Amino acid sequence: EGVHDMIFALTNAISDLAGKLGEWRRQQQAYAELSALDDRTLADIGLNRGDLDRMFDDRFNWDLRERAPLSF
């Protein structure tokens, strides 16, 4: 049973890591897409270039996520 528990824990850890990697990749793609927009288009969706770094950092404003046309 100890081996079964270890395998279960390892499987969960790998699954969690894969989920985090997927989320990181989605955020990187969203950042790249938003970065490619010109300043006027960003303004049209309620953002400015200075908002982009903060949008993907949980330590900063959640209001930016609410204003952005992305689903997190």
Side-chain angles (χ1 to χ4, degrees):
E1 200 167 301
V3 172
H4 180 266
D5 291 342
M6 288 175 48
I7 292 172
F8 183 75
L10 181 58
T11 302
N12 283 341
I14 291 170
S15 178
D16 289 346
L17 183 59
K20 289 178 182 179
L21 178 60
E23 178 61 24
W24 177 81
R25 291 181 75 189
R26 283 187 292 279
Q27 286 185 0
Q28 291 299 308
Q29 181 164 355
Y31 181 85
E33 290 174 6
L34 287 169
S35 294
L37 298 176
D38 62 32
D39 290 340
R40 182 180 175 116
T41 304
L42 287 171
D44 286 347
I45 60 174
L47 298 172
N48 65 58
R49 200 149 303 281
D51 292 333
L52 299 182
D53 287 330
R54 295 185 309 142
M55 283 186 66
F56 299 99
D57 189 333
D58 290 336
R59 297 174 298 172
F60 293 107
N61 307 5
W62 279 94
D63 69 307
L64 295 175
R65 290 182 184 223
E66 293 172 3
R67 292 188 312 190
L70 303 173
S71 52
F72 289 93

